Amino acid sequence: MVEQPSQDNETNNHDNSEEINLIDLFNIVWSRKKIILTLGPLFGVIGIIIAFTSQVIYRSETLLAPANQEGEASGLSALAGQFGGLASMAGINIGGGGNIETALATLKSRRFIVSFINKNELLPILFENMYDAESNTWTTKDNTPPSDWDSYEVFKEEIFKVSQDKKTGLVTLSIDLSDPTLGEKWANQLPLEINNFLRTKAQLEAEKNLEYLKEQLAETKVLEIQQSLYSLIESETKNAMLANAKEEYAFKIIDPAVVPERKIRPRRGLIIIASGMLGGFFGIFLCFVLHFIEVAKRTSAKPN
């Protein structure tokens, strides 16, 4: 009768196998420890060079709140319910100044950002490595400035960030630049620019709507339609007055940006530590690669 191995013996053999495997792995690494001792410090030195040569970036932040348009909305809500059908047929929006989603979308839109860049002549700052300030020329292949699309991508991806707290509705606008003074200037200027942009747009829309409504009023003889048109004209007149009088049309500045004193990147300590660890891991990986190459050579060298 064949004696079956007990469960305890199987467990012991399994533990011994794991112990031997771990010892073998340690020996593989230890026998080539010079690789790790070389690559670890080498990567650490590279990390130090990167950390201390990377451009220092500062973040300027402005805290905004949506402009309160509740009074305007409530004053026009009854009118919208009563004459909304007529207004929609005419392509007129009774709602006035819009909403926060529209304002945020406009703030992040290519049209507004490109307008801000061109108005303030920011291309030489955004692409300083491609611009010769002494000769006032571009060093590109055709000596032409970057396109509007390129400037929009750089500004949106590397410099300009907007986020909204869904609970409070507050909006944080931030500018990341190597020049903290310039970053503070842009962070405070952008809310003024977007308010002016949206206010001007609302003024033009109100004027266009008023012109259309007055034309329709002159052409109709139906009393009920005339009353509706008078009400719509009153509404658009209020919208125009609101746009003319309200400086903080879309956003109110709750906390303006100040010149930042602390950098946000590079995080030098983290870069150096991560580089050293990466060098150590790469060294361990290289140890195993060399070991398997050596084993493969010995195996192929054995006679069949």
Side-chain angles (χ1 to χ4, degrees):
M1 182 176 179
V2 180
E3 185 176 342
Q4 298 293 334
S6 65
Q7 186 175 357
D8 293 339
N9 290 336
E10 290 181 356
T11 303
N12 291 334
N13 291 335
H14 183 68
D15 292 341
N16 291 334
S17 176
E18 285 188 351
E19 183 177 353
I20 292 173
N21 290 336
L22 290 175
I23 292 174
D24 290 343
L25 294 177
F26 175 78
N27 289 333
I28 291 172
V29 175
W30 184 254
S31 64
R32 296 174 175 82
K33 58 183 178 294
K34 289 184 179 180
I35 297 176
I36 301 174
L37 295 177
T38 301
L39 291 179
L42 178 61
F43 275 59
V45 171
I46 295 174
I48 292 173
I49 295 173
I50 294 174
F52 284 92
T53 56
S54 298
Q55 189 178 44
V56 177
I57 300 297
Y58 297 87
R59 174 168 293 172
S60 302
E61 291 184 336
T62 300
L63 185 63
L64 308 172
N68 185 13
Q69 296 174 346
E70 293 179 359
E72 173 198 1
S74 61
L76 298 176
S77 59
L79 185 63
Q82 187 175 1
F83 305 114
L86 180 61
S88 61
M89 290 177 61
I92 297 173
N93 176 22
I94 303 181
N99 51 47
I100 182 60
E101 288 78 14
T102 302
L104 284 174
T106 306
L107 178 59
K108 295 183 284 187
S109 67
R110 181 175 58 86
R111 178 185 178 187
F112 172 72
I113 290 177
V114 169
S115 173
F116 177 78
I117 292 172
N118 293 335
K119 178 181 178 181
N120 295 279
E121 300 180 348
L122 305 184
L123 282 181
I125 300 173
L126 299 179
F127 301 94
E128 57 182 352
N129 58 330
M130 301 167 57
Y131 181 75
D132 186 355
E134 294 183 358
S135 60
N136 194 27
T137 58
W138 292 95
T139 59
T140 54
K141 183 178 180 180
D142 301 326
N143 296 325
T144 57
S147 64
D148 288 344
W149 179 259
D150 290 334
S151 61
Y152 167 70
E153 286 293 311
V154 170
F155 195 83
K156 185 188 70 170
E157 299 296 333
E158 301 179 12
I159 297 174
F160 177 57
K161 297 290 183 297
V162 178
S163 61
Q164 183 184 24
D165 188 326
K166 296 300 182 182
K167 293 183 178 179
T168 63
L170 297 178
V171 176
T172 300
L173 184 154
S174 62
I175 296 293
D176 296 347
L177 275 182
S178 58
D179 186 340
T181 303
L182 190 59
E184 177 263 342
K185 178 182 176 182
W186 291 4
N188 286 325
Q189 187 176 356
L190 273 165
L192 304 179
E193 295 277 357
I194 188 62
N195 279 332
N196 184 61
F197 184 88
L198 292 173
R199 183 171 60 250
T200 301
K201 181 181 178 182
Q203 290 171 347
L204 294 175
E205 288 180 353
E207 292 174 1
K208 180 180 178 181
N209 291 341
L210 283 171
E211 182 179 352
Y212 175 83
L213 290 171
K214 289 177 181 178
E215 290 177 357
Q216 295 302 309
L217 181 62
E219 294 178 0
T220 184
K221 301 299 182 181
V222 181
L223 182 59
E224 292 182 356
I225 297 179
Q226 287 180 343
Q227 291 176 345
S228 299
L229 290 172
Y230 277 125
S231 298
L232 290 173
I233 290 173
E234 181 183 359
S235 167
E236 287 302 324
T237 303
K238 290 179 179 179
N239 287 340
M241 293 175 61
L242 178 68
N244 288 324
K246 196 173 184 181
E247 292 186 2
E248 294 182 323
Y249 185 75
F251 296 102
K252 291 182 178 180
I253 299 178
I254 303 300
D255 188 14
V258 296
V259 178
E261 298 180 356
R262 295 182 180 179
K263 65 180 185 297
I264 61 167
R265 61 178 186 270
R267 301 176 65 178
R268 289 171 176 162
L270 182 61
I271 293 176
I272 295 171
I273 293 173
S275 299
M277 293 179 64
L278 179 62
F281 289 136
F282 182 71
I284 294 173
F285 172 76
L286 188 59
C287 288
F288 287 113
V289 171
L290 294 175
H291 170 74
F292 288 123
I293 292 175
E294 184 179 308
V295 171
K297 287 181 178 179
R298 287 202 303 264
T299 303
S300 60
K302 290 181 180 180
N304 296 329

PDB file of all heavy atoms in Angstrom, residues 133-165:
ATOM      1  N   ALA A 133      13.367  89.223 -28.603  1.00  0.00           N
ATOM      2  CA  ALA A 133      12.886  90.518 -28.127  1.00  0.00           C
ATOM      3  C   ALA A 133      13.734  91.669 -28.647  1.00  0.00           C
ATOM      4  O   ALA A 133      13.230  92.783 -28.859  1.00  0.00           O
ATOM      5  CB  ALA A 133      12.866  90.528 -26.600  1.00  0.00           C
ATOM      6  N   GLU A 134      15.021  91.449 -28.865  1.00  0.00           N
ATOM      7  CA  GLU A 134      15.905  92.531 -29.308  1.00  0.00           C
ATOM      8  C   GLU A 134      15.567  92.995 -30.722  1.00  0.00           C
ATOM      9  O   GLU A 134      15.507  94.194 -31.005  1.00  0.00           O
ATOM     10  CB  GLU A 134      17.361  92.068 -29.242  1.00  0.00           C
ATOM     11  CG  GLU A 134      17.847  91.790 -27.811  1.00  0.00           C
ATOM     12  CD  GLU A 134      19.307  91.400 -27.782  1.00  0.00           C
ATOM     13  OE1 GLU A 134      19.915  91.317 -28.870  1.00  0.00           O
ATOM     14  OE2 GLU A 134      19.837  91.182 -26.683  1.00  0.00           O
ATOM     15  N   SER A 135      15.345  92.043 -31.602  1.00  0.00           N
ATOM     16  CA  SER A 135      15.026  92.410 -32.986  1.00  0.00           C
ATOM     17  C   SER A 135      13.526  92.463 -33.251  1.00  0.00           C
ATOM     18  O   SER A 135      13.103  92.809 -34.357  1.00  0.00           O
ATOM     19  CB  SER A 135      15.672  91.410 -33.950  1.00  0.00           C
ATOM     20  OG  SER A 135      15.189  90.091 -33.703  1.00  0.00           O
ATOM     21  N   ASN A 136      12.744  92.081 -32.225  1.00  0.00           N
ATOM     22  CA  ASN A 136      11.279  92.081 -32.349  1.00  0.00           C
ATOM     23  C   ASN A 136      10.819  91.217 -33.524  1.00  0.00           C
ATOM     24  O   ASN A 136       9.948  91.598 -34.307  1.00  0.00           O
ATOM     25  CB  ASN A 136      10.763  93.513 -32.517  1.00  0.00           C
ATOM     26  CG  ASN A 136       9.254  93.601 -32.299  1.00  0.00           C
ATOM     27  OD1 ASN A 136       8.662  92.802 -31.577  1.00  0.00           O
ATOM     28  ND2 ASN A 136       8.614  94.583 -32.939  1.00  0.00           N
ATOM     29  N   THR A 137      11.412  90.040 -33.629  1.00  0.00           N
ATOM     30  CA  THR A 137      11.074  89.118 -34.714  1.00  0.00           C
ATOM     31  C   THR A 137      10.905  87.711 -34.159  1.00  0.00           C
ATOM     32  O   THR A 137      11.417  87.376 -33.081  1.00  0.00           O
ATOM     33  CB  THR A 137      12.168  89.091 -35.797  1.00  0.00           C
ATOM     34  OG1 THR A 137      13.420  88.709 -35.183  1.00  0.00           O
ATOM     35  CG2 THR A 137      12.302  90.444 -36.470  1.00  0.00           C
ATOM     36  N   TRP A 138      10.205  86.890 -34.943  1.00  0.00           N
ATOM     37  CA  TRP A 138      10.006  85.492 -34.572  1.00  0.00           C
ATOM     38  C   TRP A 138      11.103  84.644 -35.192  1.00  0.00           C
ATOM     39  O   TRP A 138      11.528  84.882 -36.324  1.00  0.00           O
ATOM     40  CB  TRP A 138       8.637  85.009 -35.038  1.00  0.00           C
ATOM     41  CG  TRP A 138       7.514  85.651 -34.296  1.00  0.00           C
ATOM     42  CD1 TRP A 138       6.795  86.748 -34.671  1.00  0.00           C
ATOM     43  CD2 TRP A 138       7.001  85.250 -33.026  1.00  0.00           C
ATOM     44  NE1 TRP A 138       5.859  87.066 -33.708  1.00  0.00           N
ATOM     45  CE2 TRP A 138       5.955  86.152 -32.697  1.00  0.00           C
ATOM     46  CE3 TRP A 138       7.306  84.218 -32.143  1.00  0.00           C
ATOM     47  CZ2 TRP A 138       5.231  86.052 -31.507  1.00  0.00           C
ATOM     48  CZ3 TRP A 138       6.582  84.106 -30.962  1.00  0.00           C
ATOM     49  CH2 TRP A 138       5.559  85.011 -30.657  1.00  0.00           C
ATOM     50  N   THR A 139      11.560  83.669 -34.446  1.00  0.00           N
ATOM     51  CA  THR A 139      12.644  82.798 -34.896  1.00  0.00           C
ATOM     52  C   THR A 139      12.115  81.507 -35.513  1.00  0.00           C
ATOM     53  O   THR A 139      12.845  80.529 -35.639  1.00  0.00           O
ATOM     54  CB  THR A 139      13.581  82.453 -33.725  1.00  0.00           C
ATOM     55  OG1 THR A 139      12.829  81.808 -32.685  1.00  0.00           O
ATOM     56  CG2 THR A 139      14.227  83.710 -33.168  1.00  0.00           C
ATOM     57  N   THR A 140      10.852  81.491 -35.876  1.00  0.00           N
ATOM     58  CA  THR A 140      10.266  80.317 -36.502  1.00  0.00           C
ATOM     59  C   THR A 140      10.786  80.183 -37.935  1.00  0.00           C
ATOM     60  O   THR A 140      11.473  81.064 -38.457  1.00  0.00           O
ATOM     61  CB  THR A 140       8.733  80.420 -36.527  1.00  0.00           C
ATOM     62  OG1 THR A 140       8.351  81.650 -37.145  1.00  0.00           O
ATOM     63  CG2 THR A 140       8.183  80.397 -35.108  1.00  0.00           C
ATOM     64  N   LYS A 141      10.425  79.082 -38.582  1.00  0.00           N
ATOM     65  CA  LYS A 141      10.934  78.789 -39.917  1.00  0.00           C
ATOM     66  C   LYS A 141      10.568  79.875 -40.912  1.00  0.00           C
ATOM     67  O   LYS A 141      11.403  80.310 -41.721  1.00  0.00           O
ATOM     68  CB  LYS A 141      10.384  77.439 -40.377  1.00  0.00           C
ATOM     69  CG  LYS A 141      10.906  76.993 -41.724  1.00  0.00           C
ATOM     70  CD  LYS A 141      10.359  75.630 -42.082  1.00  0.00           C
ATOM     71  CE  LYS A 141      10.874  75.167 -43.438  1.00  0.00           C
ATOM     72  NZ  LYS A 141      10.351  73.826 -43.809  1.00  0.00           N
ATOM     73  N   ASP A 142       9.356  80.346 -40.868  1.00  0.00           N
ATOM     74  CA  ASP A 142       8.891  81.382 -41.804  1.00  0.00           C
ATOM     75  C   ASP A 142       8.869  82.767 -41.185  1.00  0.00           C
ATOM     76  O   ASP A 142       8.299  83.699 -41.777  1.00  0.00           O
ATOM     77  CB  ASP A 142       7.494  81.028 -42.319  1.00  0.00           C
ATOM     78  CG  ASP A 142       7.463  79.684 -43.024  1.00  0.00           C
ATOM     79  OD1 ASP A 142       8.468  79.344 -43.668  1.00  0.00           O
ATOM     80  OD2 ASP A 142       6.448  78.974 -42.913  1.00  0.00           O
ATOM     81  N   ASN A 143       9.438  82.891 -39.986  1.00  0.00           N
ATOM     82  CA  ASN A 143       9.437  84.169 -39.265  1.00  0.00           C
ATOM     83  C   ASN A 143       8.023  84.692 -39.021  1.00  0.00           C
ATOM     84  O   ASN A 143       7.786  85.900 -39.007  1.00  0.00           O
ATOM     85  CB  ASN A 143      10.247  85.223 -40.023  1.00  0.00           C
ATOM     86  CG  ASN A 143      11.710  84.864 -40.126  1.00  0.00           C
ATOM     87  OD1 ASN A 143      12.275  84.276 -39.205  1.00  0.00           O
ATOM     88  ND2 ASN A 143      12.337  85.203 -41.236  1.00  0.00           N
ATOM     89  N   THR A 144       7.105  83.751 -38.840  1.00  0.00           N
ATOM     90  CA  THR A 144       5.714  84.119 -38.575  1.00  0.00           C
ATOM     91  C   THR A 144       5.339  83.732 -37.153  1.00  0.00           C
ATOM     92  O   THR A 144       5.869  82.743 -36.613  1.00  0.00           O
ATOM     93  CB  THR A 144       4.764  83.413 -39.554  1.00  0.00           C
ATOM     94  OG1 THR A 144       4.968  81.993 -39.454  1.00  0.00           O
ATOM     95  CG2 THR A 144       5.021  83.872 -40.977  1.00  0.00           C
ATOM     96  N   PRO A 145       4.436  84.483 -36.525  1.00  0.00           N
ATOM     97  CA  PRO A 145       4.024  84.144 -35.152  1.00  0.00           C
ATOM     98  C   PRO A 145       3.207  82.865 -35.118  1.00  0.00           C
ATOM     99  O   PRO A 145       2.628  82.462 -36.136  1.00  0.00           O
ATOM    100  CB  PRO A 145       3.199  85.352 -34.729  1.00  0.00           C
ATOM    101  CG  PRO A 145       2.700  85.944 -36.006  1.00  0.00           C
ATOM    102  CD  PRO A 145       3.769  85.692 -37.025  1.00  0.00           C
ATOM    103  N   PRO A 146       3.110  82.223 -33.966  1.00  0.00           N
ATOM    104  CA  PRO A 146       2.265  81.021 -33.839  1.00  0.00           C
ATOM    105  C   PRO A 146       0.809  81.347 -34.159  1.00  0.00           C
ATOM    106  O   PRO A 146       0.364  82.486 -34.024  1.00  0.00           O
ATOM    107  CB  PRO A 146       2.447  80.623 -32.364  1.00  0.00           C
ATOM    108  CG  PRO A 146       3.746  81.231 -31.958  1.00  0.00           C
ATOM    109  CD  PRO A 146       3.864  82.507 -32.733  1.00  0.00           C
ATOM    110  N   SER A 147       0.085  80.345 -34.576  1.00  0.00           N
ATOM    111  CA  SER A 147      -1.314  80.531 -34.961  1.00  0.00           C
ATOM    112  C   SER A 147      -2.191  80.746 -33.730  1.00  0.00           C
ATOM    113  O   SER A 147      -1.778  80.493 -32.587  1.00  0.00           O
ATOM    114  CB  SER A 147      -1.814  79.313 -35.739  1.00  0.00           C
ATOM    115  OG  SER A 147      -1.809  78.162 -34.904  1.00  0.00           O
ATOM    116  N   ASP A 148      -3.411  81.187 -33.970  1.00  0.00           N
ATOM    117  CA  ASP A 148      -4.378  81.367 -32.887  1.00  0.00           C
ATOM    118  C   ASP A 148      -4.648  80.037 -32.181  1.00  0.00           C
ATOM    119  O   ASP A 148      -4.825  79.997 -30.957  1.00  0.00           O
ATOM    120  CB  ASP A 148      -5.688  81.939 -33.431  1.00  0.00           C
ATOM    121  CG  ASP A 148      -5.556  83.395 -33.837  1.00  0.00           C
ATOM    122  OD1 ASP A 148      -4.575  84.035 -33.424  1.00  0.00           O
ATOM    123  OD2 ASP A 148      -6.433  83.888 -34.574  1.00  0.00           O
ATOM    124  N   TRP A 149      -4.706  78.971 -32.964  1.00  0.00           N
ATOM    125  CA  TRP A 149      -4.959  77.657 -32.369  1.00  0.00           C
ATOM    126  C   TRP A 149      -3.817  77.246 -31.436  1.00  0.00           C
ATOM    127  O   TRP A 149      -4.058  76.728 -30.347  1.00  0.00           O
ATOM    128  CB  TRP A 149      -5.161  76.614 -33.458  1.00  0.00           C
ATOM    129  CG  TRP A 149      -5.411  75.242 -32.902  1.00  0.00           C
ATOM    130  CD1 TRP A 149      -4.518  74.218 -32.791  1.00  0.00           C
ATOM    131  CD2 TRP A 149      -6.634  74.763 -32.338  1.00  0.00           C
ATOM    132  NE1 TRP A 149      -5.106  73.127 -32.209  1.00  0.00           N
ATOM    133  CE2 TRP A 149      -6.409  73.430 -31.918  1.00  0.00           C
ATOM    134  CE3 TRP A 149      -7.896  75.336 -32.152  1.00  0.00           C
ATOM    135  CZ2 TRP A 149      -7.400  72.664 -31.328  1.00  0.00           C
ATOM    136  CZ3 TRP A 149      -8.880  74.564 -31.570  1.00  0.00           C
ATOM    137  CH2 TRP A 149      -8.633  73.241 -31.160  1.00  0.00           C
ATOM    138  N   ASP A 150      -2.564  77.479 -31.852  1.00  0.00           N
ATOM    139  CA  ASP A 150      -1.416  77.131 -31.010  1.00  0.00           C
ATOM    140  C   ASP A 150      -1.428  77.947 -29.718  1.00  0.00           C
ATOM    141  O   ASP A 150      -1.163  77.411 -28.635  1.00  0.00           O
ATOM    142  CB  ASP A 150      -0.106  77.380 -31.764  1.00  0.00           C
ATOM    143  CG  ASP A 150       0.107  76.386 -32.896  1.00  0.00           C
ATOM    144  OD1 ASP A 150      -0.446  75.271 -32.799  1.00  0.00           O
ATOM    145  OD2 ASP A 150       0.809  76.724 -33.866  1.00  0.00           O
ATOM    146  N   SER A 151      -1.717  79.228 -29.828  1.00  0.00           N
ATOM    147  CA  SER A 151      -1.737  80.066 -28.629  1.00  0.00           C
ATOM    148  C   SER A 151      -2.863  79.652 -27.692  1.00  0.00           C
ATOM    149  O   SER A 151      -2.702  79.644 -26.463  1.00  0.00           O
ATOM    150  CB  SER A 151      -1.895  81.537 -29.019  1.00  0.00           C
ATOM    151  OG  SER A 151      -3.117  81.757 -29.712  1.00  0.00           O
ATOM    152  N   TYR A 152      -4.014  79.292 -28.256  1.00  0.00           N
ATOM    153  CA  TYR A 152      -5.137  78.818 -27.438  1.00  0.00           C
ATOM    154  C   TYR A 152      -4.781  77.531 -26.705  1.00  0.00           C
ATOM    155  O   TYR A 152      -5.063  77.383 -25.509  1.00  0.00           O
ATOM    156  CB  TYR A 152      -6.351  78.611 -28.336  1.00  0.00           C
ATOM    157  CG  TYR A 152      -7.481  77.828 -27.694  1.00  0.00           C
ATOM    158  CD1 TYR A 152      -8.243  78.381 -26.673  1.00  0.00           C
ATOM    159  CD2 TYR A 152      -7.776  76.532 -28.118  1.00  0.00           C
ATOM    160  CE1 TYR A 152      -9.271  77.662 -26.084  1.00  0.00           C
ATOM    161  CE2 TYR A 152      -8.806  75.811 -27.544  1.00  0.00           C
ATOM    162  CZ  TYR A 152      -9.551  76.377 -26.525  1.00  0.00           C
ATOM    163  OH  TYR A 152     -10.566  75.655 -25.949  1.00  0.00           O
ATOM    164  N   GLU A 153      -4.148  76.586 -27.398  1.00  0.00           N
ATOM    165  CA  GLU A 153      -3.776  75.312 -26.783  1.00  0.00           C
ATOM    166  C   GLU A 153      -2.774  75.516 -25.646  1.00  0.00           C
ATOM    167  O   GLU A 153      -2.909  74.916 -24.573  1.00  0.00           O
ATOM    168  CB  GLU A 153      -3.187  74.380 -27.839  1.00  0.00           C
ATOM    169  CG  GLU A 153      -4.214  73.787 -28.786  1.00  0.00           C
ATOM    170  CD  GLU A 153      -5.153  72.828 -28.073  1.00  0.00           C
ATOM    171  OE1 GLU A 153      -4.667  71.954 -27.347  1.00  0.00           O
ATOM    172  OE2 GLU A 153      -6.383  72.964 -28.240  1.00  0.00           O
ATOM    173  N   VAL A 154      -1.763  76.335 -25.860  1.00  0.00           N
ATOM    174  CA  VAL A 154      -0.759  76.584 -24.816  1.00  0.00           C
ATOM    175  C   VAL A 154      -1.396  77.263 -23.609  1.00  0.00           C
ATOM    176  O   VAL A 154      -1.154  76.881 -22.460  1.00  0.00           O
ATOM    177  CB  VAL A 154       0.388  77.452 -25.381  1.00  0.00           C
ATOM    178  CG1 VAL A 154       1.301  77.935 -24.254  1.00  0.00           C
ATOM    179  CG2 VAL A 154       1.198  76.657 -26.397  1.00  0.00           C
ATOM    180  N   PHE A 155      -2.214  78.257 -23.859  1.00  0.00           N
ATOM    181  CA  PHE A 155      -2.844  78.998 -22.759  1.00  0.00           C
ATOM    182  C   PHE A 155      -3.779  78.104 -21.959  1.00  0.00           C
ATOM    183  O   PHE A 155      -3.779  78.120 -20.727  1.00  0.00           O
ATOM    184  CB  PHE A 155      -3.609  80.197 -23.326  1.00  0.00           C
ATOM    185  CG  PHE A 155      -4.004  81.216 -22.293  1.00  0.00           C
ATOM    186  CD1 PHE A 155      -3.106  82.183 -21.878  1.00  0.00           C
ATOM    187  CD2 PHE A 155      -5.272  81.212 -21.746  1.00  0.00           C
ATOM    188  CE1 PHE A 155      -3.468  83.123 -20.926  1.00  0.00           C
ATOM    189  CE2 PHE A 155      -5.646  82.146 -20.793  1.00  0.00           C
ATOM    190  CZ  PHE A 155      -4.746  83.105 -20.378  1.00  0.00           C
ATOM    191  N   LYS A 156      -4.581  77.306 -22.660  1.00  0.00           N
ATOM    192  CA  LYS A 156      -5.575  76.466 -21.986  1.00  0.00           C
ATOM    193  C   LYS A 156      -4.943  75.288 -21.262  1.00  0.00           C
ATOM    194  O   LYS A 156      -5.341  74.938 -20.147  1.00  0.00           O
ATOM    195  CB  LYS A 156      -6.588  75.955 -23.009  1.00  0.00           C
ATOM    196  CG  LYS A 156      -7.739  75.156 -22.400  1.00  0.00           C
ATOM    197  CD  LYS A 156      -8.607  74.523 -23.464  1.00  0.00           C
ATOM    198  CE  LYS A 156      -7.872  73.399 -24.166  1.00  0.00           C
ATOM    199  NZ  LYS A 156      -8.758  72.593 -25.050  1.00  0.00           N
ATOM    200  N   GLU A 157      -3.939  74.645 -21.873  1.00  0.00           N
ATOM    201  CA  GLU A 157      -3.372  73.426 -21.316  1.00  0.00           C
ATOM    202  C   GLU A 157      -2.311  73.690 -20.256  1.00  0.00           C
ATOM    203  O   GLU A 157      -2.174  72.919 -19.303  1.00  0.00           O
ATOM    204  CB  GLU A 157      -2.776  72.564 -22.433  1.00  0.00           C
ATOM    205  CG  GLU A 157      -3.779  72.105 -23.477  1.00  0.00           C
ATOM    206  CD  GLU A 157      -4.831  71.191 -22.890  1.00  0.00           C
ATOM    207  OE1 GLU A 157      -4.541  70.519 -21.884  1.00  0.00           O
ATOM    208  OE2 GLU A 157      -5.957  71.156 -23.444  1.00  0.00           O
ATOM    209  N   GLU A 158      -1.549  74.776 -20.381  1.00  0.00           N
ATOM    210  CA  GLU A 158      -0.395  74.981 -19.509  1.00  0.00           C
ATOM    211  C   GLU A 158      -0.550  76.131 -18.527  1.00  0.00           C
ATOM    212  O   GLU A 158       0.136  76.154 -17.502  1.00  0.00           O
ATOM    213  CB  GLU A 158       0.860  75.224 -20.367  1.00  0.00           C
ATOM    214  CG  GLU A 158       1.183  74.093 -21.322  1.00  0.00           C
ATOM    215  CD  GLU A 158       2.415  74.379 -22.162  1.00  0.00           C
ATOM    216  OE1 GLU A 158       3.145  75.347 -21.836  1.00  0.00           O
ATOM    217  OE2 GLU A 158       2.654  73.649 -23.142  1.00  0.00           O
ATOM    218  N   ILE A 159      -1.420  77.073 -18.793  1.00  0.00           N
ATOM    219  CA  ILE A 159      -1.444  78.302 -17.989  1.00  0.00           C
ATOM    220  C   ILE A 159      -2.770  78.529 -17.284  1.00  0.00           C
ATOM    221  O   ILE A 159      -2.803  78.816 -16.080  1.00  0.00           O
ATOM    222  CB  ILE A 159      -1.109  79.514 -18.889  1.00  0.00           C
ATOM    223  CG1 ILE A 159       0.315  79.374 -19.436  1.00  0.00           C
ATOM    224  CG2 ILE A 159      -1.278  80.820 -18.124  1.00  0.00           C
ATOM    225  CD1 ILE A 159       0.692  80.438 -20.434  1.00  0.00           C
ATOM    226  N   PHE A 160      -3.860  78.387 -17.996  1.00  0.00           N
ATOM    227  CA  PHE A 160      -5.172  78.842 -17.531  1.00  0.00           C
ATOM    228  C   PHE A 160      -6.033  77.660 -17.085  1.00  0.00           C
ATOM    229  O   PHE A 160      -6.190  76.689 -17.819  1.00  0.00           O
ATOM    230  CB  PHE A 160      -5.853  79.602 -18.677  1.00  0.00           C
ATOM    231  CG  PHE A 160      -7.246  80.070 -18.383  1.00  0.00           C
ATOM    232  CD1 PHE A 160      -7.510  80.883 -17.303  1.00  0.00           C
ATOM    233  CD2 PHE A 160      -8.295  79.716 -19.215  1.00  0.00           C
ATOM    234  CE1 PHE A 160      -8.796  81.327 -17.047  1.00  0.00           C
ATOM    235  CE2 PHE A 160      -9.581  80.158 -18.982  1.00  0.00           C
ATOM    236  CZ  PHE A 160      -9.823  80.970 -17.885  1.00  0.00           C
ATOM    237  N   LYS A 161      -6.570  77.752 -15.865  1.00  0.00           N
ATOM    238  CA  LYS A 161      -7.454  76.712 -15.338  1.00  0.00           C
ATOM    239  C   LYS A 161      -8.665  77.366 -14.673  1.00  0.00           C
ATOM    240  O   LYS A 161      -8.543  78.395 -13.997  1.00  0.00           O
ATOM    241  CB  LYS A 161      -6.722  75.837 -14.313  1.00  0.00           C
ATOM    242  CG  LYS A 161      -5.537  75.054 -14.873  1.00  0.00           C
ATOM    243  CD  LYS A 161      -5.994  73.957 -15.794  1.00  0.00           C
ATOM    244  CE  LYS A 161      -4.811  73.125 -16.287  1.00  0.00           C
ATOM    245  NZ  LYS A 161      -3.846  73.894 -17.090  1.00  0.00           N
ATOM    246  N   VAL A 162      -9.843  76.740 -14.866  1.00  0.00           N
ATOM    247  CA  VAL A 162     -11.085  77.208 -14.237  1.00  0.00           C
ATOM    248  C   VAL A 162     -11.799  76.004 -13.652  1.00  0.00           C
ATOM    249  O   VAL A 162     -11.950  74.983 -14.321  1.00  0.00           O
ATOM    250  CB  VAL A 162     -12.016  77.916 -15.243  1.00  0.00           C
ATOM    251  CG1 VAL A 162     -13.312  78.338 -14.563  1.00  0.00           C
ATOM    252  CG2 VAL A 162     -11.332  79.128 -15.844  1.00  0.00           C
ATOM    253  N   SER A 163     -12.224  76.121 -12.393  1.00  0.00           N
ATOM    254  CA  SER A 163     -12.971  75.035 -11.753  1.00  0.00           C
ATOM    255  C   SER A 163     -14.086  75.633 -10.912  1.00  0.00           C
ATOM    256  O   SER A 163     -13.967  76.752 -10.398  1.00  0.00           O
ATOM    257  CB  SER A 163     -12.052  74.178 -10.878  1.00  0.00           C
ATOM    258  OG  SER A 163     -11.470  74.959  -9.851  1.00  0.00           O
ATOM    259  N   GLN A 164     -15.167  74.869 -10.774  1.00  0.00           N
ATOM    260  CA  GLN A 164     -16.315  75.334  -9.999  1.00  0.00           C
ATOM    261  C   GLN A 164     -16.656  74.329  -8.920  1.00  0.00           C
ATOM    262  O   GLN A 164     -16.684  73.121  -9.160  1.00  0.00           O
ATOM    263  CB  GLN A 164     -17.536  75.544 -10.905  1.00  0.00           C
ATOM    264  CG  GLN A 164     -18.745  76.111 -10.157  1.00  0.00           C
ATOM    265  CD  GLN A 164     -19.966  76.224 -11.041  1.00  0.00           C
ATOM    266  OE1 GLN A 164     -20.086  75.516 -12.031  1.00  0.00           O
ATOM    267  NE2 GLN A 164     -20.879  77.121 -10.691  1.00  0.00           N
ATOM    268  N   ASP A 165     -16.893  74.835  -7.724  1.00  0.00           N
ATOM    269  CA  ASP A 165     -17.364  74.011  -6.619  1.00  0.00           C
ATOM    270  C   ASP A 165     -18.876  73.830  -6.789  1.00  0.00           C
ATOM    271  O   ASP A 165     -19.638  74.796  -6.703  1.00  0.00           O
ATOM    272  CB  ASP A 165     -17.052  74.692  -5.282  1.00  0.00           C
ATOM    273  CG  ASP A 165     -17.343  73.799  -4.080  1.00  0.00           C
ATOM    274  OD1 ASP A 165     -18.304  73.007  -4.156  1.00  0.00           O
ATOM    275  OD2 ASP A 165     -16.625  73.890  -3.077  1.00  0.00           O
TER     276      ASP A 165
END
